[in-house]
Amino acid sequence: MPLQELRTEIFEWKQRGADRAGTMFPEERKDGSPRFGKLHFPVGLWINSPKKHFAKMSRRWPSVGSVKSTSSDTASRGSETVELRPPSKTKPSRHKRLSNLFHRSVSSTGVGTAGAGGRWASEKKLSDLIDPVPEDLVELSSQRNLPGILKIFGGDISCGANYKSVLATPRSTARQLVREALERYGVAPGDGEEDTVGGYVLCDVVGRFTGPGGAWQAEHLRPVGDTERPLVLQDVWKPKAGCSRRFEIRRRHEVERAFEAEDNETAGINAQARRLQKSRSRAASGGTVVPKERADNLSLRRSISDMNLSAKKRRERKNIMSMAGGEAVPPGDDGVGDEGESEATRSKELESTDSSINPTGTEEPIDGASLEQLSQCLIQPPTQNPYFLLLQSYSEKQDFVIYVMTRRRHVFGRPERRSQADKGGYVDTFLCAPDILPRHCWVRAADPPPAKGTALVRPFRGAMVTHNGGPLLREAELHPGDLLGMGQHFLFMYKDPRASQPRPAWLPKPWASPCLAGAFSCQACGRSLQERQEAWRTYVESRQPELRYRPQEEEALLREIIRGQGAGGCKLAPAFLLGLCVEHSARVLEPGHLPKLVTKIAHLVKEAVWEKIKEIGDRQPENQKDKSQVRVLSIEEVATDLRPLMLWMANAMELLNLIQKKMLDMEKELELEGTSQDVLLSGDLEMCDEAMAVLDEVIMSTFQQSVYYLTKTLYSALPALLDSNPFTAGAELCPAQDLSSMPEGTRGTLAIYQATLELTRECELHPDLVSQTFGYLFFFSNASLFNTLMEKGNGAPFYQWSKAVQIRTNLDLVLDWLQGVGLGDIATEFFRKLSTTINLLCIPKTSLVKASWSRLRNEYLALTPAQLHHLLSNYYLGLGRPYPEAWSPLPEEQDKIASSDIFESFTEHPPLILPIEGFRLCLSEPVGDDALHRQLCRMRRLVWDLEQEALPANQRAGYALEGTP
């Protein structure tokens, strides 16, 4: 039974008889009582039913309803005394009337409720039912036994730190405490101390410890003003029961962003509430009710009509009636009716207005709702914020005319229910249409005050967006007056009242065309033949890094670029031209074209490199059919064969860097579009990764083939360094550029090094790849010479002082020459073991025989015990001279020496590491190299010729093309 009905029946029952206003005992209750006969349940149950009903009504306080009564249950309720009192003259409050109605006396069991004033035991204050927090945990930032010390928590700015303690007094301001806390956290200052302190704010955080582990859960956060005093706040304002309070230091922009989101939510809720209130007022006054779907719309959109209509409602109604009747509104009349104006006068004015609008009387008069709809048409646009003017919509009942940009980054999308795992992002304006994505596009306004009002617009992946009538595929500039279309139903005009209104950019330009033929040979654009030819010459001769083409001519263009590798004087022209193709695809063509283009380029480069490798292999002597003419190729012939491979290694490295930059841009787009739009973009990234892997394979293959043929030539020239005598007549024992004056034993090795260095410089190879190429050659030279030296010790006496001095001299000449060309550091590192071995053999015999095994092991750490034992055991001391006992290895090393190898392994070569900086090509600056510019002009003319060939003969350009480079 509802509580109001029960209360009414009790009051009527009191008025029927005064004799029933006294106290009723259980034995006086009769079955024939009209009151109880009507209800058909016992008195005790009737008395307790309101209590249960009251508990149900109070379910918004779950802690109150869950507390059990301290009195006994049904058994004791039958003996309780119930007092029914007549109503007083002054109407008591609902709480007091219920308390008096169900007032209890002392229970028969002796359990009293004196503390509660005779009320139910479950009728307690909410603060008494909440588990109290210990006093030492109420204020987490301070302790009673440590006055003057304030704990400032800063887990958001310092990972792993819980809090830092600072000294504070009641006069300490929040800004001073922030400065001290930042010093304790070790936050590095910026340009100035004030800039660093201003970037953080002290926050008063109220929360509680939840969960089995007692994790801190913040419930309310308030930024503390810079001049406020935290210790005073602790004394004056206390957290509510069951909560704790602590001071935290947070980044100011994060706190402001959180409050901005709350403000937007609050504004949306208030706008929705105003619409609901408006519809209710119309229904109460008999007006037309706004359609339900409009009132129940969950998108909470904000418009200028919501902000201005409530303040100017009556004035705009009167303006509309005056304009409709052809009357002018007096200057001083604000449209607000006088309180003393009679209803008849208002009705008369309204009738006269209706008759002036409809003189024939065939149409119904305008009611209040229609006037309000007309008033929305007279609302002025905003003057301080950019906005979007709706030109075409999908639903007239749900869409507004003006959408104001309240944030710098404005996101359009479709309302949808999102899961907790999908954290897409905030949507400012909801558009209800089937072809609108949950996040369709965003517009970022310019910094105020804008110079030209230029904003940026960018569609999300898969969204259909048009800009000034053309498809928008990537980020572009948005100027005031531009047309922005979304899907097939919405069309907006972007307006920025803060900037001057230029000529509308959506007016079609006569020369705008995706192809060169339409841009420079169109006869409908109004330009003369000379003007069109001059425009074409300007484009062809331009030094801007731009190469325009259509997808139809892409295949022929790419193959021509690959075929012209190494021609024209510029060695990096293929990488530069292919990079321009990638840039054109990313900027002009549709997004899905870029991964296909990158894959096509990678496979064309790989195909060209494989053909060159096969040609070089066929020219090798061991692969010739006539075995009688087998000879060793000279270094000049090897360098000529390796030149195409070196060129492709240099171009592939530069091209890989340009593609990686585009990959980074695509990954940024993937992060920006969120988790619900990443399917297509993820597939594009995977395709680009595969193409980059192909380019990596090209670089690795060209590097391996180059060092293979160079080391093959070195293998036959290196033994002369061990066998030749540099102290011959006519030889100069100093490094020189002219290798003919160097000792004969060093000429062959130095000639290979010199040819390799000239080849890498001619091909413009990346400096890091040059260093790694010579690092591999030096590694091979050191291992080959060392292994040959180990082999020579087994035969005739070779390990002696005189022979070691000759080898040392040849090696020093080579190292000095390498130092002069800038490769000394790399050579010293890789020739360390060979130099150590020669230094050991250069020790005079008389000094060497006095050295012990332990001393030699400590001084020549580059040699293994097995290698050192081999050198000493085969050292030539003279005929009949015994082996010194001091050279014998230690007993614990003899077994290891017997099982160890004395030769160097060729498999432990240094790995190839691709560079990440120091590249030569840049696609954002004008072309300064003349040879590269000639190649660019040649490709532009090629695209022009291909387009002209595809046109009918009567549509081809009829002017001459002489004078172009």
Side-chain angles (χ1 to χ4, degrees):
M1 179 181 295
L3 183 61
Q4 184 66 26
E5 181 180 350
L6 178 62
R7 189 183 305 153
T8 305
E9 292 185 3
I10 294 174
F11 180 78
E12 293 176 355
W13 177 68
K14 291 181 181 180
Q15 297 296 329
R16 288 195 199 100
D19 55 336
R20 296 186 181 180
T23 304
M24 290 185 62
F25 294 95
E27 58 270 21
E28 296 177 356
R29 302 170 185 168
K30 300 179 181 180
D31 295 337
S33 174
R35 178 67 183 91
F36 301 108
K38 182 179 180 180
L39 297 178
H40 300 289
F41 51 77
V43 177
L45 182 59
W46 172 63
I47 292 296
N48 290 328
S49 295
K51 173 183 176 181
K52 295 181 179 180
H53 189 74
F54 178 73
K56 293 180 181 178
M57 293 181 62
S58 305
R59 60 181 178 270
R60 59 179 178 273
W61 296 340
S63 58
V64 175
S66 62
V67 178
K68 297 181 180 180
S69 174
T70 56
S71 60
S72 59
D73 202 3
T74 310
S76 62
R77 291 173 184 170
S79 60
E80 292 176 352
T81 303
V82 180
E83 180 181 0
L84 299 179
R85 301 176 181 177
S88 59
K89 295 181 180 180
T90 59
K91 186 177 181 182
S93 63
R94 176 187 177 186
H95 178 74
K96 291 183 179 181
R97 285 188 280 114
L98 290 174
S99 300
N100 296 333
L101 178 62
F102 305 112
H103 176 71
R104 285 183 155 191
S105 61
V106 181
S107 176
S108 60
T109 58
V111 180
T113 58
R119 300 180 181 180
W120 296 335
S122 62
E123 204 173 331
K124 298 181 179 180
K125 295 182 179 179
L126 185 60
S127 60
D128 298 334
L129 301 174
I130 300 176
D131 294 336
V133 178
E135 295 182 359
D136 56 341
L137 295 181
V138 175
E139 296 289 346
L140 301 179
S141 293
S142 61
Q143 298 180 3
R144 292 186 177 181
N145 55 350
L146 296 175
I149 297 180
L150 192 66
K151 300 176 183 178
I152 298 180
F153 294 77
D156 291 343
I157 64 173
S158 179
C159 297
N162 191 11
Y163 66 87
K164 296 293 183 181
S165 299
V166 297
L167 298 178
T169 64
R171 300 184 60 84
S172 299
T173 62
R175 188 176 184 85
Q176 295 173 350
L177 297 179
V178 168
R179 183 185 295 108
E180 296 295 332
L182 291 178
E183 293 181 0
R184 297 297 309 276
Y185 279 104
V187 177
D191 298 335
E193 183 184 16
E194 295 299 327
D195 297 338
T196 303
V197 177
Y200 296 86
V201 62
L202 189 66
C203 298
D204 184 5
V205 182
V206 176
R208 64 180 75 235
F209 295 95
T210 60
W216 169 258
Q217 180 67 34
E219 296 183 357
H220 179 71
L221 180 143
R222 186 186 74 88
V224 181
D226 292 341
T227 58
E228 295 187 41
R229 295 174 171 82
L231 292 184
V232 177
L233 294 178
Q234 283 187 336
D235 294 337
V236 178
W237 289 281
K238 299 294 183 180
K240 64 180 181 179
C243 294
S244 303
R245 183 248 301 278
R246 70 181 191 182
F247 289 103
E248 297 181 4
I249 182 172
R250 299 194 178 189
R251 292 180 175 86
R252 187 179 296 273
H253 70 275
E254 295 180 356
V255 176
E256 292 175 354
R257 187 184 307 166
F259 276 90
E260 180 182 357
E262 295 178 1
D263 292 343
N264 292 338
E265 180 180 359
T266 303
I269 294 175
N270 285 310
Q272 179 73 359
R274 286 194 296 270
R275 287 193 292 268
L276 292 175
Q277 181 66 24
K278 195 184 306 178
S279 63
R280 293 171 182 172
S281 61
R282 293 172 185 170
S285 60
T288 303
V289 182
V290 179
K292 183 177 180 181
E293 55 269 18
R294 176 70 174 265
D296 296 341
N297 186 16
L298 302 179
S299 56
L300 299 182
R301 295 182 297 269
R302 298 186 63 194
S303 70
I304 195 64
S305 59
D306 289 320
M307 292 184 284
N308 294 347
L309 183 60
S310 59
K312 302 179 179 180
K313 184 176 180 181
R314 294 187 179 179
R315 181 176 57 189
E316 291 170 347
R317 283 186 178 182
K318 190 168 184 178
N319 289 341
I320 293 172
M321 291 187 295
S322 300
M323 293 172 61
E327 299 177 0
V329 180
D333 191 355
D334 57 355
V336 179
D338 187 16
E339 295 182 358
E341 184 180 7
S342 63
E343 187 67 20
T345 305
R346 299 178 188 174
S347 302
K348 186 177 181 179
E349 292 179 357
L350 183 59
E351 292 175 359
S352 61
T353 304
D354 294 340
S355 60
S356 61
I357 297 178
N358 302 318
T360 59
T362 56
E363 298 182 2
E364 296 181 358
I366 300 177
D367 57 0
S370 301
L371 290 175
E372 186 171 343
Q373 293 177 0
L374 292 175
S375 66
Q376 296 182 5
C377 303
L378 301 179
I379 296 174
Q380 297 182 353
T383 59
Q384 300 297 329
N385 297 87
Y387 61 93
F388 295 90
L389 181 63
L390 182 65
L391 304 180
Q392 180 180 344
S393 65
Y394 179 75
S395 175
E396 297 181 356
K397 297 180 179 180
Q398 296 184 356
D399 299 325
F400 294 99
V401 177
I402 294 178
Y403 294 88
V404 185
M405 291 185 62
T406 57
R407 299 192 309 154
R408 184 184 178 189
R409 186 172 181 269
H410 196 87
V411 181
F412 291 87
R414 186 185 72 237
E416 66 169 358
R417 294 185 179 272
R418 296 174 179 262
S419 61
Q420 291 294 109
D422 189 4
K423 300 179 180 178
Y426 186 81
V427 177
D428 299 89
T429 297
F430 290 110
L431 303 177
C432 296
D435 54 355
I436 299 296
L437 301 182
R439 299 185 74 205
H440 203 81
C441 79
W442 58 257
V443 177
R444 187 172 62 200
D447 295 328
K452 299 181 180 180
T454 302
L456 294 177
V457 57
R458 181 186 171 280
F460 288 96
R461 192 59 183 271
M464 180 180 178
V465 180
T466 60
H467 182 210
N468 293 330
L472 183 65
L473 304 176
R474 53 190 51 84
E475 184 176 304
E477 291 186 353
L478 186 66
H479 302 274
D482 285 1
L483 299 180
L484 190 64
M486 300 183 194
Q488 299 180 356
H489 304 281
F490 289 96
L491 181 63
F492 298 92
M493 177 181 288
Y494 174 72
K495 306 287 287 184
D496 192 347
R498 304 171 299 174
S500 59
Q501 301 298 322
R503 177 181 179 271
W506 45 266
L507 292 177
K509 298 180 180 179
W511 59 88
S513 176
C515 61
L516 298 180
F520 303 112
S521 63
C522 176
Q523 300 179 5
C525 62
R527 293 180 296 176
S528 63
L529 175 63
Q530 182 178 2
E531 291 176 343
R532 295 196 301 270
Q533 184 174 0
E534 184 63 28
W536 184 85
R537 291 178 183 274
T538 302
Y539 164 72
V540 172
E541 299 176 357
S542 172
R543 289 186 175 268
Q544 294 298 322
E546 180 184 13
L547 181 59
R548 289 187 266 175
Y549 66 91
R550 298 184 306 175
Q552 296 90 319
E553 292 80 31
E554 183 178 80
E555 184 73 20
L557 176 62
L558 295 180
R559 292 194 176 276
E560 180 62 24
I561 294 174
I562 298 296
R563 189 186 62 82
Q565 185 256 6
C570 183
K571 305 304 182 294
L572 298 180
F576 178 76
L577 296 175
L578 293 175
L580 291 182
C581 294
V582 173
E583 189 72 22
H584 175 76
S585 175
R587 186 180 65 254
V588 177
L589 303 181
E590 57 97 12
H593 182 268
L594 178 60
K596 300 176 184 177
L597 173 63
V598 172
T599 303
K600 185 184 301 183
I601 290 175
H603 285 88
L604 288 176
V605 172
K606 179 181 177 180
E607 180 182 346
V609 170
W610 259 231
E611 290 293 332
K612 294 297 181 183
I613 293 177
K614 184 179 179 181
E615 292 177 6
I616 296 174
D618 294 340
R619 286 196 294 266
Q620 295 304 307
E622 60 271 17
N623 296 329
Q624 299 294 331
K625 295 181 180 180
D626 189 1
K627 301 296 181 182
S628 61
Q629 299 182 356
V630 174
R631 62 182 180 84
V632 178
L633 296 178
S634 64
I635 183 59
E636 290 77 12
E637 295 174 324
V638 173
T640 302
D641 291 340
L642 293 181
R643 185 175 179 273
L645 294 184
M646 284 282 188
L647 286 174
W648 276 122
M649 189 195 309
N651 282 274
M653 190 68 254
E654 295 288 342
L655 182 60
L656 180 62
N657 173 61
L658 298 177
I659 295 177
Q660 283 179 340
K661 292 181 179 179
K662 290 300 174 185
M663 285 282 292
L664 294 178
D665 296 340
M666 295 175 65
E667 290 177 356
K668 292 179 180 178
E669 293 182 6
L670 180 61
E671 297 176 357
L672 184 62
E673 293 191 1
T675 58
S676 60
Q677 304 285 332
D678 62 346
V679 178
L680 297 177
L681 192 55
S682 298
D684 293 346
L685 289 174
E686 293 178 0
M687 189 178 299
C688 292
D689 285 336
E690 295 176 359
M692 293 172 62
V694 174
L695 291 178
D696 286 340
E697 184 181 356
V698 169
I699 297 172
M700 183 66 68
S701 300
T702 52
F703 180 82
Q704 290 176 348
Q705 293 294 320
S706 299
V707 297
Y708 167 73
Y709 289 111
L710 290 174
T711 54
K712 184 179 178 180
T713 310
L714 268 175
Y715 186 77
S716 59
L718 288 174
L721 293 176
L722 303 178
D723 300 332
S724 63
N725 182 10
F727 305 103
T728 57
E732 296 183 4
L733 301 181
C734 60
Q737 294 294 334
D738 188 7
L739 299 181
S740 60
S741 61
M742 299 285 288
E744 185 178 359
T746 63
R747 293 175 189 173
T749 303
L750 292 179
I752 296 174
Y753 291 155
Q754 186 179 33
T756 304
L757 182 61
E758 292 175 355
L759 181 61
T760 56
R761 291 176 177 175
E762 180 186 358
C763 297
E764 300 184 19
L765 193 63
H766 193 281
D768 290 354
L769 294 181
V770 174
S771 300
Q772 296 185 69
T773 300
F774 278 97
Y776 193 93
L777 296 181
F778 296 155
F779 163 79
F780 176 82
S781 301
N782 173 78
S784 180
L785 290 172
F786 182 83
N787 293 342
T788 304
L789 185 62
M790 292 291 104
E791 292 176 353
K792 289 181 176 296
N794 295 327
F798 191 81
Y799 297 159
Q800 52 184 328
W801 178 84
S802 59
K803 193 63 179 177
V805 171
Q806 296 177 8
I807 300 174
R808 177 76 264 178
T809 303
N810 288 331
L811 185 59
D812 288 343
L813 290 174
V814 173
L815 293 178
D816 292 343
W817 186 89
L818 293 174
Q819 184 69 35
V821 296
L823 299 173
D825 296 339
I826 304 176
T828 302
E829 178 182 355
F830 283 97
F831 280 104
R832 180 178 292 110
K833 175 159 284 194
L834 181 62
S835 297
T836 302
T837 305
I838 301 302
N839 291 339
L840 173 63
L841 298 177
C842 286
I843 298 177
K845 186 192 312 182
T846 56
S847 301
L848 187 60
V849 296
K850 298 178 182 180
S852 63
W853 171 264
S854 300
R855 174 188 167 187
L856 295 177
R857 284 282 292 123
N858 294 332
E859 293 181 357
Y860 299 94
L861 297 176
L863 298 174
T864 64
Q867 294 169 349
L868 179 60
H869 180 263
H870 176 79
L871 293 172
L872 295 177
S873 60
N874 292 279
Y875 190 84
Y876 182 71
L877 295 174
L879 294 175
R881 191 162 184 176
Y883 184 78
E885 292 293 335
W887 288 1
S888 299
L890 299 177
E892 56 271 16
E893 294 181 337
Q894 292 180 357
D895 295 339
K896 183 179 181 180
I897 291 173
S899 61
S900 299
D901 191 6
I902 62 174
F903 298 105
E904 286 293 300
S905 174
F906 288 98
T907 60
E908 298 179 357
H909 57 81
L912 176 62
I913 302 176
L914 299 183
I916 58 176
E917 57 183 3
F919 297 95
R920 304 175 188 271
L921 295 182
C922 180
L923 302 182
S924 60
E925 299 178 358
V927 182
D929 185 79
D930 293 337
L932 187 60
H933 180 242
R934 287 193 295 270
Q935 291 293 318
L936 177 59
C937 295
R938 187 172 71 88
M939 292 299 108
R940 289 170 176 169
R941 291 198 301 271
L942 173 65
V943 174
W944 170 265
D945 295 338
L946 293 175
E947 290 188 5
Q948 292 295 310
E949 293 176 0
L951 294 176
N954 59 346
Q955 296 183 10
R956 298 175 185 176
Y959 47 82
L961 303 178
E962 291 80 6
T964 56

